[in-house]
Amino acid sequence: MVNTEHSTGMTQVNHPYDDLNEQSPQEECGVFGVWAPGEEVSKLTYFGLFALQHRGQEAAGIAVGDGEQILVFKDLGLVSQVFDEPILESLRGNIAIGHTRYTTAGGNTWENAQPMFRMAPDGTDIALGHNGNLINYLELLDKATELGLVDPDKKPSDTDVLTALLANGVGNGKTLFDSAQELLPSVKGAYCLTFTDGHTLYAARDPFGIRPLSIGRLERGWVVASETSALDIVGASLVREVEPGELIAIDESGLKSIRFAETTRKGCIFEYVYLARPDSVIKGRNVNEARLEIGRKLAAEAPAIGDLVIPTPESGTPAAVGFAQASGIPFGQGMVKNAYVGRTFIQPSDTLRQLGIRLKLNPLREVIAGKRLVVVDDSIVRGNTQRAVIRMLREAGAAEVHVRIASPPVKWPCFYGIDFATPGELIANAVTSDKEAEMVEAVRSAIGADSLGYVSIDAMVEATEQPANELCIACFDGHYPMGMPQGNSNAELVQKMQAARSS
Ligand code: SF4
């Protein structure tokens, strides 16, 4: 078996715009897989990855299997920067998996871009893509090191270690399905996986079902994707979600499935609030509808007097529409977003750097001048973006700026695949007071708003139409359903902060 991995030679990227303003919460990755003999699987995957671009903009890759070998092409950059027609033409086969990456574990290097490739002891090619974060990485690393599969000095990513262990279990009559069934119960953390041995497409979801993963049907094949919007773009119809703790295999004999662990469903509520595309459906609930409803509830819980409701584009838009509907205040677009400027590789000059937020957002003066604005945003993490936006709106002539947030205060970091900030960087932790009103007033003052209001946890949960006990809301309430990772300084800090608050 032969593996070919290609690179344009880019190695490490520090995004030149990252210091201009904080990033929004970053999704770690998007995964895609297709089994469709006779179809152009690499192109289907390319378009699937386009629909998942928002889940990771640092690297992209596609692995294609033709039954003989697996070819992997991956590189740093956006999907459209990594692939072109000749590359996709060269990736021919019956099966493909694809990946878009945002770095939360391991550096942003070509080696850490996915799909990962490993060869099993019996020579079987294996490629794997992962969305999530493993919390028992050190345990798995020790195991892989003892077996001589990885070099710990090279700091392999959690996905690399997982792929190495999976591949190692193949052979002596054991298939990749057998290996996954054996290994996955010992893997702790958030994971949605698509993987292949070149013959069969596999997918698996952690027993808590933290990240979404759906199965779709093509006329002559099957698709698995992080979000249903990626099924739509390739013309696949939604069959169902991969269930928490489920491992599936798809080949010419159809879809085979097993449950590899006891499950406790805890879907990430932040997928509804911010991360997923508004046209995706998660556990039967359209994300746009959930955001509209959060906006309506926000208007009821934290009303404002104003002339115009405007969103912080794009993610604040559905909640702003909902707020306008419920409050009766007209909705308008007060800012225009320069999409993806934050992910360009071109260095801004010093003069451009001074423009700060203006590189990302531009105010529409004619719309906002002299108005009392109600600005609806999806979340406040560090508060830097809101502070810059409010200053920009005032400079553009806004009479008042009232900020309404379509999620409760983010107080705790995520260990399950989302990159927020360290606990100390979260603006909601800047005040040690236990009184919510004092915290809100401190944040209002820090960002320079005329007033500030958040939606409550209960209202946000209701808007998702999911049972409260089936959702992870740890970044808001600090209760981590799977626990926290080993050897992680943020986890140790959270434990100390929680102990101090309960004493
Ligand atoms: S901690 Fe927050 S972002 Fe992370 S999985 Fe839970 S709800 Fe989602």
Side-chain angles (χ1 to χ4, degrees):
M1 297 284 182
V2 180
N3 167 59
T4 310
E5 291 187 307
H6 306 258
S7 166
T8 56
M10 296 160 87
T11 51
Q12 176 88 33
V13 174
N14 294 315
H15 288 289
Y17 291 74
D18 282 357
D19 58 339
L20 294 177
N21 282 287
E22 73 188 56
Q23 293 289 310
S24 301
Q26 297 288 333
E27 180 62 83
E28 189 187 3
C29 299
V31 294
F32 188 88
V34 54
W35 182 90
E39 300 287 342
E40 290 182 287
V41 290
S42 62
K43 285 196 179 165
L44 287 170
T45 306
Y46 174 77
F47 284 106
L49 293 184
F50 247 107
L52 299 174
Q53 184 72 86
H54 61 292
R55 297 183 76 89
Q57 294 152 25
E58 294 188 346
I62 296 176
V64 173
D66 63 0
E68 290 294 316
Q69 63 178 10
I70 289 178
L71 293 173
V72 182
F73 192 101
K74 60 184 185 179
D75 214 333
L76 304 180
L78 299 171
V79 176
S80 59
Q81 293 169 320
V82 172
F83 295 100
D84 60 19
E85 187 83 34
I87 292 168
L88 293 171
E89 284 292 333
S90 71
L91 295 171
R92 294 184 169 275
N94 304 325
I95 292 179
I97 61 168
H99 193 267
T100 56
R101 175 174 162 84
Y102 173 77
T103 309
T104 60
N108 181 28
T109 61
W110 180 84
E111 288 74 18
N112 285 339
Q114 299 182 32
M116 286 288 168
F117 175 85
R118 283 273 170 166
M119 191 179 281
D122 70 351
T124 304
D125 283 358
I126 286 159
L128 176 142
H130 168 211
N131 171 212
N133 248 12
L134 304 185
I135 59 171
N136 66 336
Y137 167 73
L138 292 181
E139 204 177 295
L140 297 171
L141 178 65
D142 284 350
K143 189 172 165 188
T145 305
E146 265 171 40
L147 291 165
L149 304 175
V150 296
D151 176 357
D153 293 337
K154 290 189 176 159
K155 298 192 170 39
S157 68
D158 56 355
T159 310
D160 195 10
V161 170
L162 183 62
T163 313
L165 289 168
L166 256 186
N168 191 53
V170 177
N172 292 328
K174 286 191 177 168
T175 64
L176 186 52
F177 191 83
D178 300 329
S179 175
Q181 191 174 357
E182 226 169 271
L183 177 69
L184 291 179
S186 69
V187 178
K188 308 278 181 261
Y191 56 88
C192 282
L193 309 174
T194 55
F195 51 112
T196 181
D197 53 12
H199 300 271
T200 305
L201 172 66
Y202 301 94
R205 194 172 175 202
D206 71 70
F208 289 81
I210 294 273
R211 303 271 145 247
L213 190 64
S214 293
I215 305 169
R217 195 80 168 97
L218 293 165
E219 210 169 298
R220 293 188 296 167
W222 297 84
V223 178
V224 180
S226 290
E227 290 187 33
T228 60
S229 53
L231 304 182
D232 297 337
I233 200 172
V234 298
S237 51
L238 174 65
V239 176
R240 65 174 175 86
E241 293 196 350
V242 176
E243 291 296 319
E246 184 181 15
L247 166 65
I248 64 165
I250 295 168
D251 59 17
E252 54 282 342
S253 56
L255 188 150
K256 174 179 158 191
S257 155
I258 58 144
R259 288 293 178 103
F260 61 84
E262 291 293 309
T263 61
T264 314
R265 189 184 279 274
K266 292 283 179 187
C268 168
I269 201 164
F270 226 81
E271 295 279 352
Y272 293 97
V273 169
Y274 169 76
L275 299 167
R277 272 175 54 146
D279 52 340
S280 286
V281 174
I282 304 174
K283 202 154 173 279
R285 178 64 163 158
N286 169 254
V287 171
N288 190 60
E289 288 299 319
R291 289 178 190 165
L292 280 168
E293 186 57 19
I294 291 176
R296 292 184 200 113
K297 289 179 183 297
L298 176 61
E301 290 188 336
I305 296 171
D307 304 311
L308 191 68
V309 177
I310 66 167
T312 304
E314 305 288 336
S315 51
T317 302
V321 171
F323 193 102
Q325 286 172 350
S327 65
I329 303 171
F331 170 86
Q333 292 287 355
M335 292 175 268
V336 175
K337 184 178 182 182
N338 296 319
Y340 295 124
V341 71
R343 301 259 67 86
T344 177
F345 294 120
I346 308 299
Q347 291 286 339
S349 65
D350 285 346
T351 318
L352 278 172
R353 196 177 287 276
Q354 283 164 15
L355 289 173
I357 192 80
R358 296 290 296 277
L359 280 170
K360 292 181 177 177
L361 294 172
N362 209 14
L364 290 166
R365 289 165 201 283
E366 294 71 13
V367 175
I368 62 183
K371 301 256 173 51
R372 295 171 300 170
L373 300 177
V374 181
V375 181
V376 179
D377 206 346
D378 55 82
S379 55
I380 299 186
V381 179
R382 293 185 182 90
N384 296 339
T385 300
Q386 284 77 16
R387 193 180 302 117
V389 164
I390 291 165
R391 195 183 310 128
M392 181 180 78
L393 293 172
R394 290 199 196 282
E395 283 169 9
E400 292 173 16
V401 183
H402 302 274
V403 174
R404 295 295 179 269
I405 303 297
S407 60
V410 176
K411 294 179 179 166
W412 306 103
C414 174
F415 299 108
Y416 307 145
I418 308 301
D419 185 15
F420 283 133
T422 62
E425 289 169 335
L426 296 169
I427 194 168
N429 285 329
V431 182
T432 45
S433 168
D434 285 342
K435 296 197 181 86
E436 195 79 358
E438 284 178 19
M439 184 277 295
V440 174
E441 171 53 22
V443 175
R444 182 207 64 74
S445 162
I447 63 175
D450 290 298
S451 72
L452 172 66
Y454 294 86
V455 79
S456 67
I457 289 182
D458 287 350
M460 173 182 65
V461 168
E462 271 173 31
T464 67
E465 295 186 346
Q466 307 301 315
N469 63 358
E470 294 189 0
L471 290 165
C472 174
I473 52 172
C475 45
F476 304 110
D477 74 356
H479 298 301
Y480 293 93
M482 284 192 277
M484 288 182 259
Q486 314 150 323
N488 180 299
S489 56
N490 278 339
E492 284 159 16
L493 189 53
V494 167
Q495 277 156 0
K496 275 188 203 150
M497 288 169 73
Q498 293 190 343
R501 286 183 191 187
S502 63
S503 62

